[in-house]
Amino acid sequence: MKRKLLAFLLFGLFAVTSAIAQNKTISGRVVGADDGLPLPGVSVRVKGGTAGTTTGAEGNYSLNVPANASVLTFTYIGYVSQEITVGSGSRVDVRLVTDAKLLSEVVVVGYGAQSRALSTQSTSSVSAESFKNVPIISPQQILQGQAAGVNMVNSSGVLGSASQITIRGGSSLTAGGQPLYVIDGVPLNTGNYTQGQGGGSGLNPLLNINANDIESMTVLKDASAAAIYGSRGSNGVILIKTKSGANNSATKINVDYFNGTSEPTDILKYMNADQWRTFRRDFLQANNTAVPAYPTTSFDWTDAVLRTGKMNNFNASASGGNDKTRFYLGGTFADESGYTIGNDLERLSGRFNFNHNISEKVRVGLNYNLARVNSDRIGAENSTYAPLTSSYLQLPYVMPYDANGNFRNTGFIQNVIGLEATGFNKLNSTRNTGNAYAEVDIISGLTFKTDWGIDNALFDEKYREVDVFTPGGYGYISRRSDNKWLTQNTLNYNKIIGQNHSVSGLLGYSFETSRLTNGLFEGQGFASDALPNIGSASTPLTASETGAEWALESQFARLGYSYADKYLFEGTVRRDGSSRFGANKKYGIFYAASAGWILSNESFFNKDNKIAQFLKFTASYGISGNDQIGYFDYLGTFGAGAAYSDASASTPARVANPNLGWEETEQLDIGLTARLFNAVDLQLNYYNKNTVGLLASVPYPFTTGFASATQNIGEMRNRGFEVTLGTQNVKSENFSWTTNFNIGFNKNTVLSLPENKDPEGRNFISGSTAQRAIVGESRNSFYLIRYKGINPATGDAEWLKKDGTPTTTPVAADRVLVGHADPDFVGGFTNTFRYKDFDLSAFFNFAYGNKVLIDGLRFTENVATPSFNKSTDLLNYWKTAGDQAFAPRLNSPTRGTFNQLSTSQLQDGSYARLKTVTLGYNLPSSVLGKTKVLRSARIYVLGQNLWTIQNKDFRGPDPEVSANGASNLIMGESFFALPQAKSLTFGINLGL
């Protein structure tokens, strides 16, 4: 028996060895011929045989082929198929040429990349070519008006402030509202890392990322795209892919420099000293009050805090590679001074990306970015320590200097010129982000990848006021660090079965954790203004340090199948476990399914017709989540500092909630993608998003000892339609004209909230005194008294009661729904012209249907107060019967209530803006050849925010504003927020 078994084993070993000897392994990499970028999902087959596979996310493949195989075929939608002779070697690298008749774009997706033509996911991508040469401080600017369904609003003109981004409408009320940012596979930490200086929106989470290093930004919009990120996908996901080198490419060096100036797009109206004195005299006389002897001095505070902003940016990069190695090395120094004093930003960053093939089956890589940003910050915009805020409100006869030329303390409306000149308000941040990975081809089509990443951020704030403004002097230092590490391990499988079946699979495990540490040291009583450090303070006020940590463990999978490149199916599932949630809701499962039909690949479809060359229908449904809540909100807590019978005690502060869980967003998406007339690319999408389990504060009976507790109780819906259009209008040897257009419609509706009735019987949650989420309406509904105007007969200001009748004494009960802060639609369009060596590009973005609240008008349009400067609009006050005046008569009983919060401050926020216009000239190749050094050279001039179309009655400085940044419940409100900058830059690009 033993002999028979041994003989059987020897025979089996001989058979396997013979089979291996009759086969060999061919591996290689497939890239695009025009840009050298990897192509995922390329079909690689043995001609005349059944063996086949597809390339992975980086374009790599490995295939066992018969020993007699002589030719491999490479096919990919959007590219011309190629047949390559195998020969005696074991490596075949291929560069596929674009087929102009078909869609050829590759889109980055979660944990991989796909052909856009074969993808069933709804995504929007912006390539580096779209923002080349644009002076970008914040990478989010890249998305504004460029991606359908993405509403990006620059919160203010403060350098480094966070933008407000919503993708297909907001999906939360009180949890985090920002999308998830993923850079080269590393999800970024986001948080408010400052002490409330600068813009009310906090710091931009992408401030340390250099836009010149970005190859593409992809927005994952529907559930099939975002569900792979599970509990963090409901607000949308933005994937940022940075640049890399190309195999078998000579080293290319690129040098870019631009220099420019900026100024505000507009400012509020304000009186000079003579106008203010005259107005104040008239007001007091009209009210039979003695007129004091006001100082005869005059000072233009707004002119003094404004300046010509300047920007300088130098960027250099080198990239290239050989048959085994690719690299990219980039560095940037940017120095920008805003158009107000105290608003400066300096950034130094460097990036190194490296990929190497150790063997035919093993690859390693590294992506690493290190950046330091030094900022000179202004006071918070909603305080009188901010330059522009203070300048609008400061009385115009108040002087910044005394008779001896020393700075004066001007009180509540502080001397911001002196603050800036004598103290400091600095923020220095250092951030290093990166990942290292290794890939191993286990068998043909099956690849294991292990990826380890970090996102370490450190923020140092230093603030100092001198004795003249705070007796004895005051200062603080704040240090915040947020350090993350993560590991992601995946198995990727790609296989072609027979001639028509293609299967892809992804199986993964990830773990990430981050620790946030906050330290604050505050003191006063400095012996000298020359002592800047907090250690010199004689009286410590605060010395504290706190820390918190969170962790997320995940398992995920994705399975894709296509038949004959006609019928496409994909399914995704992810299980997340988060430390942020209660014991009963610690884990959540998120999933999605999608399908597609490429009608143009059917045998009955005539591909030679002149109308439609490509048609694809897609549909998807799935659920994603939102885990952006506090670290320990599910825990019951106690607060110290109480006393009981003269003994120190602790009291319950928060009730425990072991059922605190995820907000979940279920989404249906239906799409059409088409190539028409060999010149038009069209994408249409309809979506319906329902968010359930919204986190909201639920009132508790007072007998419990708790006022309220956070629970999963609300529901909200976003429903919309998107259009993306790209056209090749003219194309000839010397002239071309292309147009890109996108528009996204969205309607947000709150479906349910905890019990809290308004007078109309609807449940609501307040966001601000002007804005609230109301059941049946938008989460950002303005609820205000309606302002009617000045009665021409009486000169009294009038408002409307709830029933619509005029009144001069409105009350809070007269408030009604008067509009919403979220636009009905947003979008953008770009026209690009090229004539010989010249190029001209103009990009407009627009928003329509939203309201914005310019809350600062309540102060500048205050008729009665002697404490603030005023708008020149108040000079148009009622004098005689029949006057169509802006302001009431000076002795009207409404003179003191004219500026009360109402629709008087609510403005039409619709606008269209010439965001960028660029004119460039490229040196011809005949000239470049003579230099023996230059590969390319281009000079250009670029303008930003040069022209804005808005409502003629708009009274704010800028309709593009949302000073609360990423706040969910407060959109489109401004309290003296800095307007956007209007800029003009000149630059040069050199390729060596």
Side-chain angles (χ1 to χ4, degrees), residues 787-813:
Y787 176 66
K788 184 176 185 292
I790 303 301
N791 187 318
T794 65
D796 294 331
E798 292 183 338
W799 295 262
L800 297 178
K801 293 182 178 181
K802 187 178 286 289
D803 62 7
T805 58
T807 179
T808 58
T809 56
V811 295

mmCIF file of all heavy atoms in Angstrom, residues 787-813:
data_model
loop_
_atom_site.group_PDB
_atom_site.id
_atom_site.type_symbol
_atom_site.label_atom_id
_atom_site.label_comp_id
_atom_site.label_asym_id
_atom_site.label_seq_id
_atom_site.Cartn_x
_atom_site.Cartn_y
_atom_site.Cartn_z
ATOM 1 N N TYR A 787 -39.341 92.505 6.518
ATOM 2 C CA TYR A 787 -39.228 93.972 6.457
ATOM 3 C C TYR A 787 -39.958 94.471 5.216
ATOM 4 O O TYR A 787 -39.730 93.974 4.103
ATOM 5 C CB TYR A 787 -37.759 94.374 6.419
ATOM 6 C CG TYR A 787 -37.541 95.863 6.269
ATOM 7 C CD1 TYR A 787 -37.920 96.740 7.290
ATOM 8 C CD2 TYR A 787 -36.959 96.389 5.119
ATOM 9 C CE1 TYR A 787 -37.734 98.103 7.167
ATOM 10 C CE2 TYR A 787 -36.759 97.756 4.984
ATOM 11 C CZ TYR A 787 -37.150 98.609 6.013
ATOM 12 O OH TYR A 787 -36.959 99.962 5.874
ATOM 13 N N LYS A 788 -40.825 95.467 5.403
ATOM 14 C CA LYS A 788 -41.618 95.986 4.285
ATOM 15 C C LYS A 788 -40.960 97.200 3.636
ATOM 16 O O LYS A 788 -40.988 97.365 2.420
ATOM 17 C CB LYS A 788 -43.020 96.365 4.764
ATOM 18 C CG LYS A 788 -43.976 96.833 3.674
ATOM 19 C CD LYS A 788 -45.365 97.074 4.257
ATOM 20 C CE LYS A 788 -46.365 97.432 3.136
ATOM 21 N NZ LYS A 788 -46.074 98.746 2.530
ATOM 22 N N GLY A 789 -40.371 98.102 4.459
ATOM 23 C CA GLY A 789 -39.760 99.307 3.918
ATOM 24 C C GLY A 789 -40.186 100.530 4.684
ATOM 25 O O GLY A 789 -40.842 100.451 5.744
ATOM 26 N N ILE A 790 -39.820 101.710 4.174
ATOM 27 C CA ILE A 790 -40.174 102.982 4.809
ATOM 28 C C ILE A 790 -41.498 103.469 4.211
ATOM 29 O O ILE A 790 -41.644 103.568 2.988
ATOM 30 C CB ILE A 790 -39.078 104.033 4.576
ATOM 31 C CG1 ILE A 790 -37.729 103.524 5.092
ATOM 32 C CG2 ILE A 790 -39.449 105.350 5.251
ATOM 33 C CD1 ILE A 790 -37.705 103.183 6.561
ATOM 34 N N ASN A 791 -42.427 103.743 5.072
ATOM 35 C CA ASN A 791 -43.731 104.256 4.629
ATOM 36 C C ASN A 791 -43.527 105.672 4.089
ATOM 37 O O ASN A 791 -43.123 106.582 4.829
ATOM 38 C CB ASN A 791 -44.708 104.279 5.804
ATOM 39 C CG ASN A 791 -46.112 104.638 5.385
ATOM 40 O OD1 ASN A 791 -46.325 105.543 4.563
ATOM 41 N ND2 ASN A 791 -47.082 103.941 5.948
ATOM 42 N N PRO A 792 -43.792 105.927 2.805
ATOM 43 C CA PRO A 792 -43.545 107.265 2.228
ATOM 44 C C PRO A 792 -44.383 108.367 2.875
ATOM 45 O O PRO A 792 -43.983 109.534 2.858
ATOM 46 C CB PRO A 792 -43.929 107.087 0.749
ATOM 47 C CG PRO A 792 -43.909 105.616 0.512
ATOM 48 C CD PRO A 792 -44.309 104.987 1.804
ATOM 49 N N ALA A 793 -45.497 107.994 3.453
ATOM 50 C CA ALA A 793 -46.372 109.018 4.032
ATOM 51 C C ALA A 793 -45.949 109.412 5.440
ATOM 52 O O ALA A 793 -46.028 110.581 5.824
ATOM 53 C CB ALA A 793 -47.815 108.515 4.049
ATOM 54 N N THR A 794 -45.478 108.436 6.230
ATOM 55 C CA THR A 794 -45.172 108.706 7.641
ATOM 56 C C THR A 794 -43.686 108.755 7.946
ATOM 57 O O THR A 794 -43.276 109.301 8.968
ATOM 58 C CB THR A 794 -45.808 107.637 8.528
ATOM 59 O OG1 THR A 794 -45.187 106.368 8.247
ATOM 60 C CG2 THR A 794 -47.315 107.534 8.269
ATOM 61 N N GLY A 795 -42.884 108.131 7.114
ATOM 62 C CA GLY A 795 -41.449 108.059 7.390
ATOM 63 C C GLY A 795 -41.078 107.007 8.410
ATOM 64 O O GLY A 795 -39.926 106.948 8.869
ATOM 65 N N ASP A 796 -42.042 106.160 8.808
ATOM 66 C CA ASP A 796 -41.771 105.088 9.756
ATOM 67 C C ASP A 796 -41.363 103.817 9.016
ATOM 68 O O ASP A 796 -41.874 103.528 7.926
ATOM 69 C CB ASP A 796 -43.009 104.784 10.603
ATOM 70 C CG ASP A 796 -43.389 105.932 11.523
ATOM 71 O OD1 ASP A 796 -42.466 106.689 11.920
ATOM 72 O OD2 ASP A 796 -44.594 106.082 11.826
ATOM 73 N N ALA A 797 -40.455 103.079 9.627
ATOM 74 C CA ALA A 797 -40.134 101.756 9.089
ATOM 75 C C ALA A 797 -41.274 100.806 9.397
ATOM 76 O O ALA A 797 -41.879 100.878 10.481
ATOM 77 C CB ALA A 797 -38.837 101.247 9.702
ATOM 78 N N GLU A 798 -41.585 99.933 8.459
ATOM 79 C CA GLU A 798 -42.678 98.982 8.650
ATOM 80 C C GLU A 798 -42.218 97.559 8.349
ATOM 81 O O GLU A 798 -41.388 97.325 7.470
ATOM 82 C CB GLU A 798 -43.868 99.344 7.751
ATOM 83 C CG GLU A 798 -44.555 100.646 8.140
ATOM 84 C CD GLU A 798 -45.770 100.928 7.272
ATOM 85 O OE1 GLU A 798 -45.841 100.373 6.142
ATOM 86 O OE2 GLU A 798 -46.635 101.695 7.707
ATOM 87 N N TRP A 799 -42.770 96.634 9.112
ATOM 88 C CA TRP A 799 -42.545 95.225 8.921
ATOM 89 C C TRP A 799 -43.912 94.559 8.724
ATOM 90 O O TRP A 799 -44.940 95.246 8.750
ATOM 91 C CB TRP A 799 -41.848 94.629 10.140
ATOM 92 C CG TRP A 799 -40.461 95.171 10.364
ATOM 93 C CD1 TRP A 799 -39.275 94.611 9.994
ATOM 94 C CD2 TRP A 799 -40.097 96.394 11.029
ATOM 95 N NE1 TRP A 799 -38.205 95.388 10.357
ATOM 96 C CE2 TRP A 799 -38.681 96.497 11.011
ATOM 97 C CE3 TRP A 799 -40.832 97.421 11.641
ATOM 98 C CZ2 TRP A 799 -37.997 97.560 11.558
ATOM 99 C CZ3 TRP A 799 -40.144 98.488 12.193
ATOM 100 C CH2 TRP A 799 -38.735 98.563 12.158
ATOM 101 N N LEU A 800 -43.923 93.285 8.518
ATOM 102 C CA LEU A 800 -45.187 92.578 8.326
ATOM 103 C C LEU A 800 -45.451 91.650 9.503
ATOM 104 O O LEU A 800 -44.541 90.954 9.972
ATOM 105 C CB LEU A 800 -45.159 91.766 7.029
ATOM 106 C CG LEU A 800 -45.016 92.554 5.733
ATOM 107 C CD1 LEU A 800 -44.961 91.609 4.540
ATOM 108 C CD2 LEU A 800 -46.163 93.556 5.569
ATOM 109 N N LYS A 801 -46.695 91.656 9.944
ATOM 110 C CA LYS A 801 -47.106 90.671 10.927
ATOM 111 C C LYS A 801 -47.183 89.302 10.266
ATOM 112 O O LYS A 801 -47.070 89.172 9.045
ATOM 113 C CB LYS A 801 -48.471 91.044 11.511
ATOM 114 C CG LYS A 801 -48.480 92.305 12.354
ATOM 115 C CD LYS A 801 -49.884 92.547 12.918
ATOM 116 C CE LYS A 801 -49.913 93.783 13.801
ATOM 117 N NZ LYS A 801 -51.269 94.020 14.366
ATOM 118 N N LYS A 802 -47.402 88.299 11.068
ATOM 119 C CA LYS A 802 -47.488 86.954 10.515
ATOM 120 C C LYS A 802 -48.588 86.842 9.477
ATOM 121 O O LYS A 802 -48.449 86.125 8.468
ATOM 122 C CB LYS A 802 -47.701 85.928 11.632
ATOM 123 C CG LYS A 802 -47.623 84.475 11.149
ATOM 124 C CD LYS A 802 -47.789 83.509 12.290
ATOM 125 C CE LYS A 802 -46.535 83.451 13.153
ATOM 126 N NZ LYS A 802 -45.419 82.774 12.454
ATOM 127 N N ASP A 803 -49.706 87.619 9.663
ATOM 128 C CA ASP A 803 -50.822 87.547 8.716
ATOM 129 C C ASP A 803 -50.624 88.444 7.498
ATOM 130 O O ASP A 803 -51.478 88.530 6.626
ATOM 131 C CB ASP A 803 -52.142 87.887 9.411
ATOM 132 C CG ASP A 803 -52.171 89.322 9.965
ATOM 133 O OD1 ASP A 803 -51.219 90.086 9.680
ATOM 134 O OD2 ASP A 803 -53.132 89.658 10.672
ATOM 135 N N GLY A 804 -49.482 89.157 7.433
ATOM 136 C CA GLY A 804 -49.169 89.960 6.269
ATOM 137 C C GLY A 804 -49.552 91.417 6.369
ATOM 138 O O GLY A 804 -49.303 92.184 5.432
ATOM 139 N N THR A 805 -50.171 91.844 7.466
ATOM 140 C CA THR A 805 -50.543 93.259 7.618
ATOM 141 C C THR A 805 -49.340 94.043 8.143
ATOM 142 O O THR A 805 -48.557 93.539 8.949
ATOM 143 C CB THR A 805 -51.728 93.405 8.584
ATOM 144 O OG1 THR A 805 -51.363 92.836 9.860
ATOM 145 C CG2 THR A 805 -52.952 92.697 8.040
ATOM 146 N N PRO A 806 -49.195 95.324 7.710
ATOM 147 C CA PRO A 806 -48.040 96.121 8.137
ATOM 148 C C PRO A 806 -48.103 96.470 9.618
ATOM 149 O O PRO A 806 -49.181 96.608 10.206
ATOM 150 C CB PRO A 806 -48.139 97.382 7.281
ATOM 151 C CG PRO A 806 -49.032 97.018 6.139
ATOM 152 C CD PRO A 806 -49.994 96.017 6.687
ATOM 153 N N THR A 807 -46.914 96.640 10.220
ATOM 154 C CA THR A 807 -46.821 97.051 11.606
ATOM 155 C C THR A 807 -45.500 97.784 11.824
ATOM 156 O O THR A 807 -44.521 97.548 11.103
ATOM 157 C CB THR A 807 -46.897 95.841 12.563
ATOM 158 O OG1 THR A 807 -46.786 96.299 13.917
ATOM 159 C CG2 THR A 807 -45.771 94.854 12.289
ATOM 160 N N THR A 808 -45.486 98.679 12.810
ATOM 161 C CA THR A 808 -44.235 99.342 13.183
ATOM 162 C C THR A 808 -43.648 98.728 14.444
ATOM 163 O O THR A 808 -42.567 99.130 14.880
ATOM 164 C CB THR A 808 -44.476 100.845 13.431
ATOM 165 O OG1 THR A 808 -45.463 100.995 14.469
ATOM 166 C CG2 THR A 808 -44.938 101.535 12.154
ATOM 167 N N THR A 809 -44.336 97.755 15.024
ATOM 168 C CA THR A 809 -43.864 97.117 16.258
ATOM 169 C C THR A 809 -43.944 95.597 16.138
ATOM 170 O O THR A 809 -44.759 94.955 16.800
ATOM 171 C CB THR A 809 -44.694 97.589 17.454
ATOM 172 O OG1 THR A 809 -46.091 97.316 17.192
ATOM 173 C CG2 THR A 809 -44.491 99.077 17.702
ATOM 174 N N PRO A 810 -43.147 95.006 15.285
ATOM 175 C CA PRO A 810 -43.198 93.547 15.138
ATOM 176 C C PRO A 810 -42.654 92.856 16.388
ATOM 177 O O PRO A 810 -41.877 93.431 17.147
ATOM 178 C CB PRO A 810 -42.305 93.295 13.931
ATOM 179 C CG PRO A 810 -41.304 94.406 13.980
ATOM 180 C CD PRO A 810 -42.066 95.605 14.474
ATOM 181 N N VAL A 811 -43.081 91.603 16.572
ATOM 182 C CA VAL A 811 -42.615 90.795 17.695
ATOM 183 C C VAL A 811 -42.103 89.462 17.151
ATOM 184 O O VAL A 811 -42.288 89.137 15.975
ATOM 185 C CB VAL A 811 -43.751 90.566 18.717
ATOM 186 C CG1 VAL A 811 -44.158 91.883 19.359
ATOM 187 C CG2 VAL A 811 -44.953 89.893 18.049
ATOM 188 N N ALA A 812 -41.485 88.678 18.021
ATOM 189 C CA ALA A 812 -40.893 87.412 17.594
ATOM 190 C C ALA A 812 -41.937 86.480 16.982
ATOM 191 O O ALA A 812 -41.620 85.689 16.077
ATOM 192 C CB ALA A 812 -40.205 86.732 18.772
ATOM 193 N N ALA A 813 -43.173 86.571 17.437
ATOM 194 C CA ALA A 813 -44.230 85.698 16.915
ATOM 195 C C ALA A 813 -44.581 86.008 15.469
ATOM 196 O O ALA A 813 -45.304 85.248 14.821
ATOM 197 C CB ALA A 813 -45.478 85.806 17.784
#
